[in-house]
């Protein structure tokens, strides 16, 4: 598979939210984008603030556009704030360079899309997103 199918995106969303519910996390929002940063699927748990859409999508979009997950983006921002600021301008302010954004790879290592999870702590966002991506048979890189 060289792309995230709609069915795989639905699995990612469902299993990310299931993981969060079982772990008693705060309500999450989950966005799945293709390798071009275009939204495939989005869902938010009951009780998740509506504004989390932009955060989840920004985490996924930034991961795909920069080719690095949200944790690496945060680390890059700490080391080279000017780079992330310039990239955010170049991408129309759509980047959210914090943990919870994932590059998604297929078994061959090709980038097939991105996932963004927002709503709880960065560590919990990461754990939930990783569970969802793996449930779809794909490889998370956060």
């Amino acid at each position: 598979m060289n792309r995230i199918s709609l069915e795989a995106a639905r699995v990612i969303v469902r299993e990310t939210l299931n993981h969060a519910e079982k772990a008693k996390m705060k309500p999450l929002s989950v966005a799945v984008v293709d390798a071009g940063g275009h939204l495939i699927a989005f869902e938010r748990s009951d009780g998740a603030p509506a504004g989390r859409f932009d955060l989840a999508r920004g985490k996924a979009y930034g991961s795909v556009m920069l080719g690095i997950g949200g944790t690496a983006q945060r680390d890059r921002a700490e080391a080279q704030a000017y780079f992330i600021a310039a990239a955010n301008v170049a991408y129309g302010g759509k980047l959210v360079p914090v943990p919870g954004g994932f590059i998604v790879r297929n078994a061959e290592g090709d980038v097939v899309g991105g996932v963004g999870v927002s709503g709880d702590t960065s560590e919990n966002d990461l754990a939930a997103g990783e569970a969802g991506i793996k449930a779809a048979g794909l490889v998370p890189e956060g």
Side-chain angles (χ1 to χ4, degrees):
M1 168 179 21
N2 61 0
R3 62 183 178 83
I4 297 178
S5 66
L6 178 58
E7 184 55 36
R10 288 176 173 159
V11 169
I12 291 168
V13 169
R14 181 179 64 241
E15 294 305 319
T16 297
L17 295 178
N18 284 343
H19 178 91
E21 185 176 339
K22 288 177 189 172
K24 302 204 183 310
M25 293 180 188
K26 293 178 183 175
L28 298 183
S29 292
V30 184
V32 181
V33 300
D34 65 18
H38 305 286
L39 188 67
I40 300 171
F42 171 80
E43 195 167 320
R44 63 184 173 105
S45 302
D46 289 341
R52 292 290 179 168
F53 168 75
D54 292 314
L55 294 174
R57 183 187 57 179
K59 288 181 179 187
Y61 182 83
S63 294
V64 169
M65 292 297 104
L66 294 176
I68 56 176
T71 302
Q73 289 176 56
R74 178 205 56 206
D75 296 346
R76 181 84 183 263
E78 289 174 356
Q80 296 177 309
Y82 62 89
F83 172 78
I84 294 297
N88 208 6
V89 169
Y91 291 120
K94 296 181 196 173
L95 305 182
V96 179
V98 295
F102 296 87
I103 291 284
V104 179
R105 296 183 185 275
N106 61 16
E108 293 75 35
D110 302 317
V111 173
V112 294
V115 170
V117 181
S118 181
D120 205 293
T121 65
S122 293
E123 294 77 19
N124 285 343
D125 291 350
L126 281 167
E130 186 172 296
I133 295 164
K134 286 181 176 179
L138 297 166
V139 180
E141 188 178 303

